[in-house]
Amino acid sequence: MLIDTYGRMATDLRVSLTDRCNLRCTYCMPEEGLQWLSKPDLLTDDEIVRLIDIAVTSLGIEEVRFTGGEPLLRPGLVGIVERVAALRPRPQMSLTTNGIGLGRTAAALKAAGLDRVNVSLDTLRPDVFKTLTRRDRHKDVLHGLTAAREAGLTPVKVNAVLMPGLNADEAPDLLAWAVEHDYELRFIEQMPLDAQHGWKREGMVTAGDILASLRTRFELTPESTEERGSAPAERWLVDGGPHRVGVIASVTRPFCAACDRTRLTADGQIRTCLFATEETDLRGALRSGAPDEEIARIWRLAMWGKKAGAGLDDPSFVQPDRPMSAIGG
């Protein structure tokens, strides 16, 4: 098991398959991109599957989320999903994506064993999408969402980040659109994971702002604490249900006390928290011939040292050196 000193048990593994992305979202990376990891630094498909196997069979992992960067850019993605689906016990598998490549891959991913997807879409306005992502690919994301729903990668969850002066007014429109298309919408507070280190708490759209905006058009009934469990999103029934909307308030309403996640970066590092400034190397152990038992021991030790919280409210908080694209959401 992956247990820390505060009694939390990690059962959810986030696996970053690549640091590369085909968008340049303003809250994630600069327009020119980043210094990408070299191919020898990346875990191979076999190494990824082996680490997931260890996590599932020896460490109590029950859910695996594939992330990036943009995971659909990983050439071996479908094969990785298929091999992980064959593990026993079989973990639940999901994918967080910008949706651009889903139109051509959704059916194959479903056939390989993927259970569902989270798709990032911050706006319904193509011009605002182009400003936020520095790419004119809005139609491709909408097409990808439709393909995911038709392939049965459900519930299809849509993640939206609201930015002042760009799309902060779109919360009610996004929710109405999500209800119409049977997507589960989740708003995410902008987090301090941008490569430019330009994040400022006083300039962000908070969970309170989002809920106040939504309530101008919808009746929201809070979900019970028991239903939420360790999920990062607080959820509300929309106009009595059955549709729900979620808010992930990592900054203003942190959920660290219930965190059940462990993270594997594309270059084989364990991160105990999205905001961690330290990592534990598993790639070196893999490539030096360490047996599964030794790798599991290193992983357990890393998680044992997990901090109580992210510390975003602490004035001494230091933003992680890696941007979101290199860590995985």
Side-chain angles (χ1 to χ4, degrees):
M1 301 293 107
L2 291 172
I3 303 173
D4 65 32
T5 55
Y6 298 92
R8 296 169 297 191
M9 184 179 298
T11 58
D12 185 335
L13 170 61
R14 308 295 170 99
V15 180
S16 174
L17 298 178
T18 178
D19 59 331
R20 296 174 184 266
C21 188
N22 42 12
L23 297 180
R24 297 290 181 270
C25 296
T26 56
Y27 51 77
C28 184
M29 70 171 75
E31 186 171 4
E32 65 275 13
L34 299 166
Q35 183 66 45
W36 307 123
L37 293 168
S38 64
K39 189 171 182 180
D41 289 335
L42 292 170
L43 293 176
T44 66
D45 293 0
D46 288 345
E47 288 171 336
I48 289 170
V49 174
R50 182 183 171 195
L51 287 174
I52 295 174
D53 188 0
I54 293 170
V56 169
T57 60
S58 301
L59 298 173
I61 291 298
E62 300 171 357
E63 300 179 40
V64 175
R65 170 84 62 85
F66 296 109
T67 70
E70 173 45 52
L72 296 182
L73 295 180
R74 178 87 186 199
L77 172 61
V78 172
I80 291 171
V81 170
E82 189 170 32
R83 292 169 67 183
V84 174
L87 297 177
R88 293 295 178 268
R90 180 199 187 281
Q92 287 290 304
M93 285 186 292
S94 59
L95 177 87
T96 295
T97 171
N98 62 32
I100 288 175
L102 267 181
R104 63 179 181 274
T105 57
L109 287 168
K110 179 65 177 179
L114 192 70
D115 295 301
R116 63 172 189 82
V117 293
N118 287 37
V119 179
S120 298
L121 181 64
D122 303 321
T123 178
L124 299 176
R125 305 167 186 163
D127 59 325
V128 176
F129 181 91
K130 188 174 181 180
T131 299
L132 278 168
T133 67
R134 305 184 180 105
R135 298 291 187 270
D136 190 10
R137 305 297 297 273
H138 192 257
K139 287 183 180 179
D140 296 315
V141 180
L142 295 180
H143 176 56
L145 280 161
T146 300
R149 186 183 60 215
E150 292 177 349
L153 292 169
T154 54
V156 176
K157 296 184 179 181
V158 176
N159 297 337
V161 176
L162 299 183
M163 304 283 287
L166 286 171
N167 62 339
D169 62 332
E170 285 197 66
D173 289 340
L174 279 163
L175 182 52
W177 166 82
V179 168
E180 178 186 354
H181 292 87
D182 200 26
Y183 303 138
E184 184 175 322
L185 180 63
R186 307 193 312 172
F187 292 98
I188 304 176
E189 287 183 337
Q190 184 194 4
M191 294 179 283
L193 291 169
D194 59 310
Q196 307 94 300
H197 289 200
W199 178 85
K200 291 183 175 59
R201 177 168 178 150
E202 60 270 20
M204 63 178 287
V205 180
T206 68
D209 298 331
I210 294 165
L211 292 170
S213 179
L214 292 176
R215 286 184 170 120
T216 63
R217 197 183 305 180
F218 302 95
E219 179 185 344
L220 303 180
T221 305
E223 189 178 63
S224 69
T225 304
E226 291 75 18
E227 286 181 287
R228 181 184 182 186
S230 60
E234 294 180 76
R235 299 199 305 176
W236 287 261
L237 285 173
V238 179
D239 291 339
H243 292 95
R244 289 174 166 82
V245 63
V247 178
I248 299 178
S250 301
V251 178
T252 63
R253 303 181 187 182
F255 42 88
C256 301
C259 181
D260 64 350
R261 284 167 291 288
T262 182
R263 299 174 184 275
L264 177 65
T265 68
D267 56 348
Q269 309 301 305
I270 289 299
R271 296 179 68 90
T272 59
C273 174
L274 191 61
F275 302 102
T277 55
E278 299 175 348
E279 298 176 332
T280 300
D281 180 30
L282 292 187
R283 185 188 64 196
L286 272 176
R287 295 182 180 177
S288 66
D292 289 359
E293 294 78 10
E294 174 62 12
I295 293 170
R297 185 193 69 80
I298 295 170
W299 205 329
R300 288 191 190 98
L301 187 60
M303 292 304 295
W304 184 251
K306 184 173 181 173
K307 295 181 179 180
L312 299 184
D313 288 325
D314 188 336
S316 63
F317 170 75
V318 177
Q319 181 170 328
D321 290 333
R322 294 202 196 205
M324 190 183 302
S325 63
I327 299 170

